[in-house]
Amino acid sequence: MCCSETLLIPDLGISDTLPTNKLKLIELPVLKTGEYDFHCQMQRYLGKLIVK
């Protein structure tokens, strides 16, 4: 498994495997305003989900 195949959003308790070269729907709960960090399993790919 390569690093970019796993999506982790720790604050939301989300850990999901992503298929290569395909879309995948990740359902999120209703979120409060704020910022939620996400990353791959090795934290090489990092991002931030911003909810306004």
Side-chain angles (χ1 to χ4, degrees):
M1 180 178 285
C2 105
C3 188
S4 63
E5 292 178 339
T6 303
L7 171 68
L8 299 167
I9 310 175
D11 291 340
L12 303 179
I14 293 175
S15 174
D16 212 337
T17 302
L18 305 175
T20 303
N21 297 320
K22 295 181 182 177
L23 296 177
K24 180 169 184 179
L25 177 66
I26 306 292
E27 293 193 29
L28 301 174
V30 175
L31 300 172
K32 294 180 182 179
T33 300
E35 297 182 354
Y36 301 87
D37 293 325
F38 63 89
H39 54 82
C40 68
Q41 62 194 7
M42 296 180 72
Q43 297 189 21
R44 291 183 181 181
Y45 297 101
L46 306 171
K48 189 173 299 274
L49 176 64
I50 300 171
V51 179
K52 294 183 178 185

